[in-house]
Amino acid sequence: MPAADALVIENATAILPDRLLPHARVVLQDGRITRVGGASTRVPRGARVLDARGGYVSPGFVDVHVHGGGGADFMDGTPEAVRTACAVHARHGTTTIFPTTTTGDADEVARMIAACGVVRDEGGTTTGARIAGVHLYGPFFAADKVGCHSEAGRRDPTTAEYARYFATGIVRIATCAAELPGADRFFRRAAREGCLVTCGHSNASWTEMDRAFAAGMRHVDHFWCAMSSVASVRVRLGTPMQGSMEQYVLMQEGMSTEVIADGFHLAPELLRFALRMLGPRRLLLVTDASRAVDMPPGRYRFGPVATGTDFDHDGHVGRAPGGGLASSSVGMDHMVRTMVRATKAPLWEVVRMASLTPAERTGLADELGSLTPGTRADVVVLSPRLQVRQVIVGGHLLPRGTSRA
């Protein structure tokens, strides 16, 4: 685009991967970040100016685990539902998104993947978060760790089924419980496809995790949620007591994991513990958000609207019948604010967990996740209180109606 269409963000503190840069200017042109520097940084003649009003300029957030928002679940399987959820999460600073499957039958999963492909191919940079790939999450869960997902839609992996999903070319993250029959074949296939290979909704032992790691598994979904513990492995496998997913992730430096920092899934001390033990290069923030994001309290459906499970949104978090948690109901900006309050970590470390670290883990760090010249112009302008003021995707300012003041 001509210089007159370049955009300069100024009067801001830039959040870099390893520090804050006060009195910063960030220059965006041709859909890319072209310069990041101090107040004297040269800008193109005729460029538009966006005054950050003393707030922060952050890389756009990257959500690798998210189910829906705005009344829509990605598993509804329509382009309209996908667009709605992507627009809602852009409102909360997410500029790159990995729509995430739940349990469901093979046709429901296939429709979800196809709908995400339609929206991805549209571009979407003027309306919502950009789809970088699908997270194939359900249906390959352990029967005793299904959580709020539909138990009827859970099953063991078969080559015939998952080959259908991988053939679409859009699956970039792939999850399976490590103890299931056929899990190792799934992990090896996912690794060959270039996916971030993960274990989730699992009651796996240390030995099973070690075997999965050898097959290419490198990540565990939502730490402490629907995952094995020493006690749960003992119930399944008896004595002597064995290590679980928690111990394996903490000990194996090649592993990463994620936390849902909504203030309801994990207490502050667990967020502090996770960050202290793993550090911001191995710990990701995710929303694991349901269709209840930005919706009033009430009863909603988790997963496909026709066959999913009911949960109640109390205005803060989803709860399954009986009181168990049923996914989060907030966006990534909320996760960032909660993590900052709970851990007192430097802001750049917390933002890294919501941007550069997930970009690194999914092989996208050369393109996004940091305010680095040459990367995509995916940027969030935050207030001093870390509220979203403006979202920019690919150099396009999203309309005020799709971002918070």
Side-chain angles (χ1 to χ4, degrees):
M1 62 184 173
D5 291 330
L7 178 65
V8 178
I9 306 170
E10 60 181 28
N11 190 19
T13 295
I15 305 173
L16 305 182
D18 58 353
R19 67 189 189 281
L20 298 180
L21 177 64
H23 312 297
R25 274 183 175 168
V26 178
V27 182
L28 315 177
Q29 193 167 9
D30 297 326
R32 297 278 165 173
I33 298 171
T34 58
R35 295 172 199 154
V36 179
S40 62
T41 299
R42 187 170 61 86
V43 302
R45 180 177 300 173
R48 293 174 295 159
V49 175
L50 175 60
D51 185 354
R53 293 181 285 152
Y56 297 98
V57 56
S58 166
F61 303 143
V62 180
D63 197 349
V64 303
H65 188 160
V66 50
H67 296 288
D73 191 298
F74 290 115
M75 283 293 287
D76 291 344
T78 66
E80 180 182 10
V82 174
R83 293 186 199 103
T84 295
C86 287
V88 165
H89 284 281
R91 186 180 303 161
H92 295 277
T94 295
T95 57
T96 299
I97 199 166
F98 289 82
T100 304
T101 63
T102 66
T103 60
D105 67 38
D107 287 338
E108 288 173 326
V109 175
R111 282 195 295 272
M112 180 273 199
I113 292 173
C116 290
V118 168
V119 176
R120 178 199 62 178
D121 294 344
E122 292 171 351
T125 56
T126 60
T127 57
R130 180 192 288 108
I131 294 174
V134 166
H135 182 169
L136 179 62
Y137 187 56
F140 307 134
F141 294 164
D144 56 346
K145 293 291 183 180
V146 172
C148 68
H149 294 249
S150 169
E151 189 172 353
R154 185 226 77 85
R155 54 194 173 274
D156 297 341
T158 63
T159 302
E161 180 176 358
Y162 58 71
R164 174 186 182 188
Y165 307 144
F166 287 130
T168 64
I170 195 174
V171 176
R172 308 310 306 155
I173 306 172
T175 294
C176 182
E179 70 272 33
L180 296 183
D184 291 354
R185 288 191 297 275
F186 175 89
F187 291 144
R188 287 193 292 269
R189 174 63 183 273
R192 289 198 301 272
E193 296 287 339
C195 295
L196 171 63
V197 185
T198 86
C199 176
H201 284 262
S202 169
N203 199 15
S205 67
W206 179 290
T207 300
E208 289 160 335
M209 291 292 290
D210 211 27
R211 189 172 65 237
F213 187 85
M217 182 271 301
R218 292 294 184 273
H219 184 80
V220 165
D221 296 298
H222 46 41
F223 212 40
W224 292 300
C225 299
M227 65 181 287
S228 63
S229 65
V230 171
S232 72
V233 173
R234 180 181 183 235
V235 170
R236 176 176 161 243
L237 298 177
T239 55
M241 297 174 73
Q242 300 180 43
S244 70
M245 294 167 69
E246 177 184 6
Q247 289 76 42
Y248 194 84
V249 169
L250 294 177
M251 282 285 289
Q252 175 54 263
E253 292 186 1
M255 290 290 296
S256 58
T257 189
E258 61 200 38
V259 287
I260 307 168
D262 62 351
F264 293 90
H265 278 74
L266 301 175
E269 65 269 17
L270 289 181
L271 297 177
R272 291 193 295 270
F273 178 86
L275 181 56
R276 175 74 65 86
M277 294 296 104
L278 294 159
R281 295 175 180 269
R282 293 176 56 205
L283 187 65
L284 287 65
L285 295 182
V286 298
T287 65
D288 190 19
S290 71
R291 68 173 78 237
V293 178
D294 287 354
M295 298 295 288
R299 176 152 290 189
Y300 294 90
R301 181 63 59 90
F302 185 78
V305 67
T307 62
T309 57
D310 289 335
F311 71 94
D312 293 312
H313 168 49
D314 61 9
H316 302 287
V317 72
R319 295 192 182 275
L325 291 173
S327 199
S328 88
S329 302
V330 293
M332 190 66 84
D333 57 335
H334 182 102
M335 306 294 167
V336 168
R337 291 191 296 270
T338 301
M339 198 71 178
V340 169
R341 287 196 302 269
T343 67
K344 304 298 188 293
L347 180 58
W348 63 84
E349 286 191 355
V350 175
V351 167
R352 189 189 213 285
M353 290 184 279
S355 54
L356 182 55
T357 300
E360 289 172 340
R361 292 287 162 170
T362 53
L364 297 174
D366 289 343
E367 277 289 294
L368 53 94
S370 66
L371 299 180
T372 301
T375 59
R376 290 178 186 167
D378 294 349
V379 176
V380 181
V381 179
L382 301 166
S383 75
R385 297 171 65 90
L386 303 179
Q387 300 287 336
V388 175
R389 283 179 170 168
Q390 183 70 62
V391 178
I392 302 165
V393 181
H396 298 275
L397 277 76
L398 298 194
R400 286 288 184 175
T402 58
S403 63
R404 290 184 170 182

